[in-house]
Amino acid sequence: MSPLSLDLSPDLFPALTEAQADPDGPGAHRPALHFGDRSLTYGELAATASPLAARVAEAGRIAVWATPTLETAVAVVAALLAGVPAVPLNPKSGESELGHIVSDSAPTLVLAAPGTQLPPALAALERLDIDTSAPTTSLPSPGAPDPESPALIVYTSGTTGPPKGAVIPRRAIATTLDALADAWQWTGDDVLVHGLPLFHVHGLILGILGPLRRGGSVRHLGRFETAGVARELSEGATMLFGVPTMYHRIAETLPDDPALAKALARARLLVSGSAALPVHDHERIAQATGRRVIERYGMTETLMNTSVRADGEPRAGTVGVPLPGVELRLTEEDGTTAVEAYDGETVGEIQVRGPNLFTEYLNRPEATAAAFTEDGWFRTGDMAVRDPDGYVRIVGRKATDLIKSGGYKIGAGEIENALLEHPGVREAAVTGEPDADLGERIVAWIVPADPQSPPTVDELADHVARRLAPHKRPRVVHHLDALPRNDMGKIMKRALTHD
Ligand code: MCA
Ligand code: AMP
């Protein structure tokens, strides 16, 4: 592992500052953001984001309607320039999820692309349109914010209850992006392509703020499609970020798409994260392209913890080694005794400590306290072993009530609560089961209120999608006469099987 000097300076985007200071200099003409045929250079981004920063500077906290567009990137950059915390909102969130996030985070303003219709849950908020069309002269940025101050509040699911807002300070963003730059030899010459959503850490922090911190550029696909990946990689993009579902779809397409294989073979780095990439997909991609996908491991609360390094040995099925600055340990069942073994066999819970960590769950001091050990280690809930040379292999999760589907973390409890609000459902339990495309798919086990006319899978999927979000909808529904319960009345999820 190479040493890393932690840059805690409040300037998150030196290339943007330079373009602002010298609008006619070469740095100002470098490309920064591309979304389809719309793009901004660093000079244009500075000129667009800085007046917006001035307009939001007095807002306590802002929400950003995080469509996969240029507007979202500009709005988040403006918030960071202003030192105002931003809450990215999933534009597909349903009414109850959105209502919760808005009342919990209490933004004073919502920033959205002009012409976008916002749902009733946001009606009480003042709206500010993000204008990317008419860059004016760049204004000086407001004073340099404290590195510990909150930059983003990202909502993430737990096993029960509604999502919690992870408060991510500027310091964590700067240090995680610099640690990745070290691990991946990521520079301003890199051009990243991806089609990830912009309301989570992966797509927003790594996928938009990452290239901007390096002074490089990103080409966002709007939505993920293998054709877009092939096009951008054959036209100069150097890196691809994706969740395993995206790499699975690439692996499925490769046998019939030599242009995609050729494009992937040219890439400098193919990175997968947010969930485990099955070894079978690793191997299919390696065979068709001669290139190995590398994995990194992170979490909303911790940003990035480990990665296979660009100068290290790629090893399918592992998430590599701890990033510079990140302390990682495995612990025994008690959550405090460290596992010393590096034997590829002894399983422990991953705990991490370092400047990459979040500060707290917004308005949830008890949940925050429970997430850390007394000496400040964050309990990830992920179970792993370590190879003799330190490579980490994730082998499972502590909580079976957390489902990863398409790279999204989904709590069984929130779906159960939503299902119970449907008049046709008397009892509900939710589990995840293996799915070749999504990693895991959501399965609902329900006791219908009227066994003669149980609600259909489509009815329940629509109900959950409308309330929570489409990616939280059940894909399979089983009807039961009763849920299996133990003597205490607790549902025995392990007894829920097909037959
Ligand atoms: C379907 N749809 C519906 C319904 N059914 N809408 C309303 N009601 C319904 N009943 C819509 C969906 O909204 C979607 O619309 C379309 O139909 C297809 O949905 P679906 O099949 O669910 O998904 P997909 O489009 O096939 O998406 C697969 C995907 C996606 C592209 C891989 O899952 C994805 O983007 N995943 C990324 C997750 C991610 O970024 N995770 C990072 C968090 P439409 O077609 O309009 O979209 S983890 C993280 O950040 C940590 C730090 C880390 O380590 O990275
Ligand atoms: P989230 O809370 O949505 O940020 O998801 C974080 C979780 O995603 C982690 O706790 C892991 O369970 C999982 N995860 C992220 N990256 C990987 C990876 N490369 N391999 C396996 N699991 C991963």
Side-chain angles (χ1 to χ4, degrees), residues 92 195-197 200-203 206 223-224 243 245-246 249 273-275 296-301 303-304 404-409 437-438 458 461-463 465-466 470-471 473 475:
K92 292 206 184 104
L196 292 156
H200 276 313
V201 165
H202 195 168
L206 272 57
R223 63 179 298 146
F224 174 80
V243 294
T245 302
M246 295 171 179
R249 292 180 185 180
S274 301
R296 93 296 178 286
Y297 156 63
M299 226 176 146
T300 303
E301 293 89 335
L303 305 188
M304 294 303 117
K404 265 269 161 164
S405 188
Y408 287 112
K409 182 152 85 180
D437 182 45
L438 297 169
D458 287 347
D462 289 348
H463 171 81
R466 258 198 323 274
H471 65 263
R473 71 190 191 275
R475 311 274 173 152

Side-chain angles (χ1 to χ4, degrees), residues 49 212 458 497:
L212 295 179
D458 287 347
T497 53

